[in-house]
Amino acid sequence: KAGVTQTPRYLIKTRGQQVTLSCSPISGHRSVSWYQQTPGQGLQFLFEYFSETQRNKGNFPGRFSGRQFSNSRSEMNVSTLELGDSALYLCASSSRTGGTDTQYFGPGTRLTVL
Amino acid sequence: GEDVEQSLFLSVREGDSSVINCTYTDSSSTYLYWYKQEPGAGLQLLTYIFSNMDMKQDQRLTVLLNKKDKHLSLRIADTQTGDSAIYFCAESPLTSSNTGKLIFGQGTTLQVKP
C-alpha cells in the first residue's frame, strides 16, 4: 500500500498570505489528523477528521482550519500567516480498527513564513 | 493532565544497547507509541504497546511499560549508525481516544558513534 502523501513538500509564503496544505491518507483509512512541529513547541495536535467531520480540535487560533473530502483526502488552511506559523506540518492517517489510534505519518510540508 | 517527558539526548557506541526513557501523566492512556524521525522526514511508527501489557519485543526493539510509575522505555539492541535519529514517545489519552489526538514527548536525540 502507498503511504501517506502530503503536498507540497515545501512552501515559502509572506506574512498575511494564506496557505492550503493537502494530505492523502493510506488507502482505506478514514481518519486524518494534523500536527504542527516546531523546535520550540514540539509536536502539537491541530485537528482530526473522520468521515468528513471534525471530531477533535487542538488549541490553535481560528486561522487554522481544515476539511476532509468524501475520498478521505484532507486539506488544512492557514489564513493571515504569521512568522510563528513557520513549521513542519504533518498529517497522519489511521484505520480506526481495534480501538487503537495507531497513526501513520506523511513526510510533512515545511512551511516558511517570511 | 496530559504531559509526556523524555530526556533530550543520548549518545551510545555502535553495537551497544540504547535505552530511551519516557514518563507520562495520563493513567487512562490505552496505547503508548514509539516513533522515529530522521532529518527532514516525517514520523515513522516503530512500535506500540497496549496499556495492559508489561513488555513487547519486536526484533531489536524491546518496549517496557511500568504502568504504576507511568514509565515507558524503548531498548534498541545492537545499535547501528542508521539508528541515529530523534525518538518520540506518545500517549493516546482515553479522553481523546478514537478522536486522533496523540500527546508527544519532546523527543530524544540518539547519537550513535562508530
Side-chain angles (χ1 to χ4, degrees), chain A residues 9 15 27 113:
Chain A
R9 292 292 313 277
R15 278 183 300 173
S27 177
V113 182

Side-chain angles (χ1 to χ4, degrees), chain A residues 9 33 35 37 43 45 48 55-56 88 96 98 100-107, chain B residues 31 33 35 37 40-43 45 48 88 92 96-102 104:
Chain A
R9 292 292 313 277
S33 299
Y35 294 82
Q37 185 178 25
L43 281 152
F45 173 78
E48 189 253 7
R55 296 197 304 177
N56 201 355
L88 181 66
R96 288 274 173 268
T100 175
D101 275 325
T102 305
Q103 296 182 23
Y104 299 88
F105 284 80
Chain B
Y31 288 90
Y33 302 86
Y35 285 89
Q37 186 176 37
L43 300 179
L45 176 68
Y48 64 90
F88 292 92
S92 174
S96 298
S97 66
N98 290 323
T99 59
K101 181 179 181 182
L102 295 180
F104 285 89

Side-chain angles (χ1 to χ4, degrees), chain B:
Chain B
E2 302 170 340
D3 195 20
V4 178
E5 297 282 338
Q6 296 178 241
S7 53
L8 295 182
F9 186 77
L10 175 66
S11 180
V12 301
R13 291 265 176 218
E14 191 174 19
D16 287 349
S17 291
S18 307
V19 179
I20 302 171
N21 295 299
C22 169
T23 57
Y24 60 98
T25 55
D26 194 331
S27 57
S28 73
S29 289
T30 51
Y31 288 90
L32 296 135
Y33 302 86
W34 284 104
Y35 285 89
K36 174 184 179 182
Q37 186 176 37
E38 297 184 53
L43 300 179
Q44 175 193 350
L45 176 68
L46 289 177
T47 187
Y48 64 90
I49 188 167
F50 187 49
S51 58
N52 69 353
M53 298 170 65
D54 298 324
M55 186 183 89
K56 181 179 180 182
Q57 189 154 2
D58 185 0
Q59 299 183 329
R60 291 192 298 124
L61 304 178
T62 303
V63 178
L64 295 177
L65 175 60
N66 181 329
K67 200 171 180 185
K68 174 176 169 288
D69 294 337
K70 297 177 196 164
H71 183 265
L72 182 72
S73 67
L74 174 70
R75 178 176 179 269
I76 305 173
D78 186 26
T79 313
Q80 303 297 306
T81 54
D83 295 323
S84 293
I86 303 176
Y87 291 79
F88 292 92
C89 73
E91 63 171 345
S92 174
L94 185 64
T95 52
S96 298
S97 66
N98 290 323
T99 59
K101 181 179 181 182
L102 295 180
I103 309 297
F104 285 89
Q106 316 95 297
T108 299
T109 298
L110 174 63
Q111 179 190 67
V112 183
K113 296 179 181 177

Side-chain angles (χ1 to χ4, degrees), chain A residues 5 18 28-29 34 37-39 45 50 63 68 72-73 75-76 82 89-90 108-110 112 114:
Chain A
T5 58
Q18 74 161 14
H29 286 193
W34 289 89
Q37 185 178 25
T38 59
F45 173 78
F50 182 84
R63 300 185 297 106
Q68 187 179 35
S72 295
R73 189 178 70 86
E75 289 181 347
M76 68 163 279
E82 300 177 0
Y89 289 89
L90 294 162
T109 294
R110 172 77 61 186
T112 302
L114 302 176

